[in-house]
Structure formats: structure tokens, C-alpha cells
């Protein structure tokens, strides 16, 4: 008699699947450049005595990860020459991985003191290659997921590989820098990055969808009039061009200050005054245009009454642009309907507590609490990484035992609660000390100050690993396989944008009110995410009940979403 496989048996079978091994390496391939370009690079620049203002501007290369959804349609639809023969995803991956390897080697031959402009330009190229690789890996994970290697398990494995890369690109890089210099470190990392190409060559790939996926219908009766679509595309393009040029001009102005400028630019003013408009232009505007097109099509307004085939290269190009970007957005909004508001609420708030204060972590440890660099390196880069991996593993087990939505809610709760640990640490750690004394942690022969730091970091990193795995799985579940690269990149980028734009105000709050008040604020922000997650669980459960009770009354798009994403909840 056949028995239904248990959750743990399914997990064990999945871990034996070749896709999980490839996913582990892909997670490493994504995490290594992120660690080396966004974090460790600042240690090199600081050691080279590059001024803090310049380091701050160079750190803005991280915006490439926030804007990656802008070129995700190109990655999703374009077949590269020569390497495109290797597959829909593998061709792009090989180009990105080789370009990243070349970036690290080139940085090793560039002096950041004598050629800071060239150094920054190479780093920017690497950041864009890394962000593009993320788009491809995220899409690959969604594409190859099946009943055994589920998207939740692959997401957890990806997070584990990413954290291992953080250990290599963080702690190991710091150790090596004391022995072979920073240029040598980046040359070695270039070689390590090149080795990830082997996994790409061995990875399974998915078939490329028909070139006219969804585009042929754009010229059939009932489709939006091509002239109206062209107007919408023009509006979206104008918003993106404005946003990109605004950020680029500000970075150039900051890196090339005008002598005796009475009103020098300030990053905090830019993020507070211009940042919300950047989000509106790059995210909200395209979503509104896609929503408008959905509404017009539903109402039968400005639609074709007869077939109108594309009769020029420009018309075919416009169809492709719409099919690659606004059509996936329309698909997402059409499937989620009013639920997209809750989904956006989760996207905006779920990882905000981590992303918004991340850049202030080292100043908090080193300047505010007066820990040494060696203590912080061990607690944060070594011990902390293992705690994060533990959190990811816990998340993987919870996926197959509790389900997606309970795990998502639990991740939001613990991520918010751990900010209270840091508030206690900033206030002198009375509760952490009581915890350590109760469980005998202060009798292990370790400096009590180090015990405090390790308790706080272990709590945060376990929670971060669990929440990160849950968040990636949630985003993967609401992204359609037909438009996986675009939709996932769009959703994941939104969180990075908001976190980046909030850091200026948070820095001012630290200066005026101190770290304790800041950590209470970030904990409260995490509580908002908990509320949104509960609302999403209620909404998705209600949707499933409707589908089971009256399948004919639920729109096909929603039924597909229930099948595709919500069954694990």
C-alpha cells in the first residue's frame, strides 16, 4: 500500500536532486560578487585612505541591484549570439560570470588612490553584471522547480549558497588581505568566480517560450489599440529615463564637487526629496499604466475591433517591448487583482528592518560599542554567517512541515523582534546579560562583552536567515513562470529601493536620538510586515476556499495562481 510521503522524506529526496546542488553553487555565485562589491570593497578603500564621502558615493553601485528590473525584460527575452545556443538561462549566466571574474581581476590591477575614477567604473560594471546574474538565477530557480525540488527548497538552498559566499567574500577575504594584500585577494576571487561557470555548464535549462508569447494576441480583436499601448510605453520610458539620469547626475556631482560651492549636494537630502519620486517613476508609474490597460481591455475601450498585424519593424519592436515588460506587469496585477496591494505591502516592509540599518552596523559595533575589528570580524562575518545558515535550514524544515504562509509570518515576527535585542545591546545589554547568566554563557571563559555581541548577532542572523528564505519563496510563488525574470526582479528590487531611500533619514535619527530609538523604530516597522503577512494568509486561504467550493466562479487567472503558488500554504 502506497503511503503519502512525509514532509521530511520529501526534503531528503529533494536534497538528493541535481538541481539542489546546482542551486547551491548559483547561490554562491550570486553572493560572492555582492559581498565583494557592496561590503568588502569598502574595507579595501578605507585601508587605502580613500575619504569617506567618496566611499559613500561608490557604495551607490548597489543601486544596480535595485534597478535590475529595468533591464530584466531584455534578459528574459533576448537570445545572446553564440552562447545563446547553451540555453535560455545558461547563455546569460556564463557571460555574467566571466564578466564578474574579469571585474575582480581588473580591480586587482587598479590603484583606488591613483585612479579612483577607473576603479569606480570597473566596480559599476561588476555591479551591473552581478545584478543581471541575479535576474537570471531567480528566473532559473522558478523555471526548474518541480514536485521534488520545490521552489521553497530551492529558495532555501539558494540562501545557503549566498551566505557561504558571504563567508568567503567577507571573513576569508579579510584574513587573506593581511597576508597577500587586497589586490591579491581580488585576483584570487576572480579565479573562484570563474569556476562557477562549470556549474552553469552542468545545469539543466528550460525551453525558450515561443518568441511571440502573448504578442500575437496583441494584434487580435479585443486587444488594446497599438497606438494607446505606444503612448503608455512612452510614459513609462520617460519615467525611467528621468530616474536613471537623475541618479547618474547626482553621483557625478558628488564625485566631482565644485570648489567653494555654497550649496554642496547632500545624499540625505537627495534620498528624502527625490527618492520617493524615483520609486514613483520606476515602479508605481508602470504598474498604473498596466492597471489602466487591464481596465480598458475589460471595459472594451480603445481595443481593436479587427486584427491589425504589425506591418513594420517599429510596430514589431513596440509589440516586443510591451510583451516583455508591461504585459508581465499586467499579468501580475490581473492575477492578484486587489491582492496586489497586500503583496506590495509585504514587499515594501518585510526586509525593511534589515536593509535600512545595514550600512550603520559597523559604525555601531566599532564606534558606538567600541568593539575591535577582530571581534566584529569573528562575530559578524564568521559566527554570524553560520547562524544565518542555521536560520535558512530552519526555514527549509518549516516550509515542508508548516507551509509557506505560516513560515512567512513567523519570519516577519522574529525579524522584528531581534531589533529589540540590538536596542538592549545599545542600552547596555541588561536583558542580554540576564539571559547569559541564566544559561551559564558567561561561565564559558569568554569575555562577557563578546558574549553580548554574539547573542545579539546570533539572534538577528538566525531570524534573518529564516525570514530571507521565507521572503524569497513568497516572491517566487507569486511570479508567473511565463514572466519569471521580470516579475521577480521587479518585486525584489522594490525592497532594495525603499531601504536605500530610508537610510539618510535613519542616519539623522541616529545622530539626534541615538541607536536605541532607531532599533525601536525598526522593530515597529517589522510589525507592519507581520500585519501584511497575516492579511495575505487570510486572502490566499479565502481564494483557495472559493476555488474548491465553486471552481467555475473563480477567474482562470486566479485558479492558475492557486495551483502555481498557494498550495504549499
Amino acid at each position: 500500500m502506497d503511503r503519502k510521503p512525509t514532509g521530511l522524506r520529501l526534503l531528503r529526496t529533494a536534497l538528493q536532486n541535481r538541481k539542489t546542488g546546482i542551486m547551491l553553487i548559483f547561490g554562491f555565485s550570486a553572493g560572492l560578487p555582492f559581498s565583494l562589491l557592496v561590503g568588502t570593497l569598502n574595507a579595501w578603500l578605507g585601508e587605502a585612505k580613500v575619504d569617506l564621502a567618496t566611499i559613500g558615493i561608490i557604495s551607490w553601485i548597489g543601486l544596480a541591484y535595485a534597478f535590475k528590473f529595468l533591464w530584466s525584460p531584455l534578459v528574459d527575452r533576448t537570445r545572446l549570439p553564440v552562447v545563446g545556443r547553451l540555453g535560455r538561462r545558461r547563455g546569460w549566466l556564463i557571460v555574467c560570470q566571466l564578466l564578474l571574474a574579469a571585474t575582480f581581476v581588473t580591480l586587482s590591477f587598479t590603484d583606488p588612490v591613483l585612479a579612483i575614477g577607473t576603479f569606480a567604473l570597473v566596480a559599476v560594471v561588476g555591479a551591473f553584471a552581478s545584478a543581471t546574474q541575479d535576474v537570471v538565477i531567480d528566473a532559473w530557480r522558478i523555471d526548474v522547480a518541480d514536485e521534488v525540488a520545490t521552489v521553497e527548497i530551492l529558495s532555501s538552498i539558494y540562501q545557503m549558497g549566498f551566505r557561504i559566499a558571504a563567508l568567503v567574500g567577507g571573513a576569508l577575504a579579510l584574513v587573506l588581505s593581511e597576508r597577500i594584500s587586497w589586490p591579491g585577494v581580488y585576483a584570487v576571487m576572480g579565479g573562484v568566480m570563474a569556476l562557477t561557470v562549470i556549474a552553469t555548464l552542468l545545469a539543466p535549462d528550460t525551453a525558450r517560450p515561443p518568441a511571440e508569447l502573448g504578442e500575437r494576441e496583441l494584434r487580435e480583436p479585443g486587444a488594446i489599440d497599438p497606438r494607446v499601448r505606444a503612448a503608455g510605453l512612452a510614459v513609462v520610458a520617460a519615467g525611467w529615463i528621468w530616474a536613471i539620469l537623475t541618479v547618474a547626475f547626482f553621483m557625478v556631482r558628488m564625485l566631482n564637487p565644485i570648489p567653494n560651492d555654497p550649496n554642496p549636494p547632500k545624499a540625505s537630502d537627495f534620498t528624502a526629496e527625490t527618492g520617493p519620486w524615483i520609486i514613483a517613476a520606476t515602479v508605481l508609474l508602470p504598474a498604473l499604466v498596466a492597471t489602466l490597460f487591464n481596465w480598458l481591455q475589460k471595459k472594451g475601450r480603445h481595443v481593436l475591433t479587427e486584427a491589425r498585424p504589425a506591418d513594420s519593424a517599429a510596430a514589431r519592436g513596440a509589440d516586443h517591448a510591451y510583451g516583455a515588460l508591461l504585459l508581465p506587469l499586467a499579468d501580475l496585477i490581473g492575477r492578484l487583482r486587489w491582492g496586489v496591494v497586500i503583496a506590495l505591502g509585504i514587499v515594501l516592509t518585510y526586509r525593511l528592518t534589515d536593509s535600512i540599518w545595514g550600512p550603520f552596523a559597523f559604525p555601531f559595533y566599532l564606534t558606538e560599542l567600541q568593539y575591535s575589528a577582530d571581534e566584529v570580524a569573528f562575530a559578524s562575518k564568521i559566527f554570524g554567517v553560520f547562524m544565518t545558515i542555521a536560520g535558512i535550514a530552519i526555514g527549509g524544515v518549516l516550509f515542508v512541515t508548516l507551509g509557506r504562509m505560516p513560515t512567512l509570518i513567523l519570519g516577519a515576527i522574529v525579524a522584528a523582534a531581534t531589533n529589540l535585542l540590538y536596542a538592549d545591546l545599545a542600552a547596555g545589554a541588561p536583558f542580554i546579560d540576564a539571559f547569559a547568566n541564566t544559561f551559564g554563557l558567561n561561565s564559558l571563559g569568554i569575555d562577557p562583552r563578546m558574549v553580548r555581541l554574539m547573542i545579539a548577532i546570533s539572534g538577528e542572523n538566525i531570524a534573518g536567515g529564516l525570514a530571507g528564505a521565507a521572503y524569497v519563496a513568497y516572491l517566487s510563488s507569486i511570479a508567473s513562470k511565463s514572466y519569471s525574470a521580470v516579475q521577480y526582479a521587479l518585486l525584489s528590487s522594490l525592497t532594495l529601493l525603499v531601504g536605500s531611500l530610508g537610510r539618510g533619514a535613519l542616519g539623522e535619527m541616529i545622530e539626534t536620538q541615538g541607536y536605541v530609538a532607531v532599533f525601536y523604530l525598526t522593530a515597529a516597522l517589522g510589525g507592519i510586515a507581520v500585519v501584511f503577512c497575516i492579511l495575505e494568509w487570510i486572502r490566499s486561504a479565502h481564494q483557495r476556499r472559493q476555488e474548491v467550493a465553486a471552481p467555475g466562479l473563480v477567474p482562470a487567472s486566479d485558479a492558475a495562481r492557486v495551483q502555481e503558488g498557494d498550495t504549499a500554504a
Side-chain angles (χ1 to χ4, degrees):
M1 180 177 179
D2 293 336
R3 292 182 301 172
K4 183 178 180 180
T6 64
L8 292 179
R9 187 182 304 172
L10 285 173
L11 177 61
R12 183 169 56 250
T13 303
L15 292 177
Q16 297 171 348
N17 190 292
R18 178 165 68 106
K19 295 175 183 176
T20 59
I22 298 296
M23 189 76 264
L24 181 67
I25 299 177
F26 280 177
F28 180 89
S29 180
L32 186 63
F34 184 86
S35 178
L36 291 173
L37 293 172
V38 176
T40 306
L41 193 68
N42 293 336
W44 180 4
L45 295 174
E47 192 172 295
K49 306 301 181 184
V50 175
D51 64 87
L52 292 177
T54 301
I55 292 176
I57 295 303
I58 292 178
S59 70
W60 278 31
I61 64 174
L63 285 173
Y65 297 92
F67 282 107
K68 62 186 178 182
F69 68 90
L70 295 178
W71 61 89
S72 59
L74 176 69
V75 175
D76 197 33
R77 290 301 188 90
T78 302
R79 176 172 179 168
L80 295 173
V82 184
V83 293
R85 301 174 186 174
L86 296 174
R88 182 186 184 191
R89 308 300 184 193
R90 288 191 300 179
W92 276 98
L93 279 176
I94 286 176
V95 170
C96 292
Q97 289 164 348
L98 291 179
L99 186 56
L100 283 166
T103 293
F104 298 143
V105 172
T106 303
L107 286 174
S108 72
F109 285 100
T110 308
D111 190 328
V113 176
L114 300 178
I116 188 63
T118 302
F119 193 90
L121 179 61
V122 174
V124 166
V125 171
F128 275 95
S130 177
T132 303
Q133 180 189 227
D134 288 355
V135 171
V136 184
I137 290 176
D138 292 335
W140 183 88
R141 179 179 62 251
I142 296 170
D143 290 345
V144 303
D146 53 29
E147 296 81 3
V148 177
T150 64
V151 70
E152 291 85 5
I153 292 175
L154 289 178
S155 298
S156 297
I157 295 295
Y158 168 84
Q159 288 286 318
M160 189 170 295
F162 195 97
R163 298 302 175 179
I164 293 173
L167 181 62
V168 173
L172 181 59
L174 290 171
V175 171
L176 289 177
S177 69
E178 295 293 328
R179 292 160 176 80
I180 62 174
S181 78
W182 281 112
V185 169
Y186 274 74
V188 169
M189 295 301 170
V192 173
M193 193 70 215
L195 292 177
T196 61
V197 172
I198 298 175
T200 300
L201 293 174
L202 297 175
D205 210 334
T206 53
R208 187 177 299 276
E212 295 182 350
L213 176 65
E215 292 179 21
R216 182 176 299 172
E217 289 77 6
L218 297 178
R219 297 284 175 168
E220 297 296 324
I224 296 293
D225 189 303
R227 291 170 295 185
V228 176
R229 286 195 284 107
L233 283 171
V235 171
V236 171
W240 284 348
I241 292 172
W242 172 83
I244 293 173
L245 291 179
T246 299
V247 172
F249 287 150
F250 183 78
M251 290 185 68
V252 170
R253 187 181 175 194
M254 287 290 291
L255 288 173
N256 298 277
I258 300 173
N260 302 318
D261 187 352
N263 296 304
K266 295 181 180 180
S268 59
D269 291 343
F270 178 83
T271 54
E273 298 170 4
T274 310
W277 293 107
I278 291 175
I279 292 179
T282 58
V283 178
L284 298 182
L285 183 60
L288 288 174
V289 171
T291 302
L292 175 63
F293 286 168
N294 280 353
W295 182 81
L296 290 175
Q297 195 164 17
K298 181 179 180 180
K299 296 295 183 179
R301 301 180 182 179
H302 299 289
V303 297
L304 295 176
T305 57
E306 59 182 17
R308 188 187 300 173
D311 55 2
S312 67
R316 288 188 291 271
D319 286 354
H320 182 73
Y322 180 82
L325 183 57
L326 286 180
L327 189 61
L329 280 173
D331 167 81
L332 182 67
I333 295 168
R335 285 187 293 109
L336 299 186
R337 296 190 296 171
W338 62 268
V340 76
V341 176
I342 299 177
L344 286 177
I346 293 175
V347 169
L348 288 169
T349 61
Y350 197 83
R351 300 312 307 272
L352 186 58
T353 59
D354 299 324
S355 65
I356 197 170
W357 93 275
F360 305 105
F362 285 132
F364 174 62
Y365 299 143
L366 298 171
T367 304
E368 179 74 8
L369 301 182
Q370 295 294 308
Y371 284 98
S372 70
D374 287 343
E375 290 172 331
V376 173
F378 172 78
S380 178
K381 295 295 184 181
I382 299 177
F383 178 76
V385 168
F386 284 109
M387 292 300 99
T388 302
I389 292 174
I392 295 169
I394 293 171
V397 173
L398 291 177
F399 281 137
V400 296
T401 54
L402 298 182
R404 179 187 302 130
M405 291 309 302
T407 303
L408 186 74
I409 295 172
L410 182 60
I413 293 172
V414 296
T418 53
N419 285 270
L420 301 178
L421 274 178
Y422 277 91
D424 183 61
L425 187 63
F431 293 103
I432 292 177
D433 283 345
F435 176 85
N437 291 329
T438 300
F439 291 93
L441 299 180
N442 282 332
S443 62
L444 299 177
I446 303 174
D447 182 356
R449 291 182 69 254
M450 195 65 178
V451 171
R452 295 174 181 174
L453 183 63
M454 293 175 69
I455 289 175
I457 285 180
S458 63
E460 183 205 25
N461 286 21
I462 290 174
L466 168 59
Y471 185 59
V472 169
Y474 173 71
L475 294 189
S476 300
S477 73
I478 63 175
S480 166
K481 286 193 174 185
S482 299
Y483 311 106
S484 54
V486 178
Q487 290 177 350
Y488 188 94
L490 175 64
L491 295 171
S492 62
S493 297
L494 184 57
T495 300
L496 294 175
L497 275 175
V498 173
S500 298
L501 294 171
R503 290 168 188 164
L506 196 72
E508 294 176 2
M509 184 177 178
I510 291 173
E511 293 179 352
T512 57
Q513 301 184 39
Y515 280 98
V516 175
V518 164
F519 287 125
Y520 282 131
L521 173 63
T522 54
L525 293 175
I528 299 173
V530 174
V531 173
F532 276 117
C533 289
I534 293 173
L535 291 176
E536 174 66 3
W537 194 9
I538 295 172
R539 189 200 67 80
S540 59
H542 176 69
Q543 181 64 61
R544 288 195 305 278
R545 286 194 297 270
Q546 280 189 316
E547 170 62 16
V548 171
L553 299 179
V554 179
S557 59
D558 289 333
R561 179 176 182 269
V562 171
Q563 277 189 336
E564 179 179 311
D566 285 342
T567 52

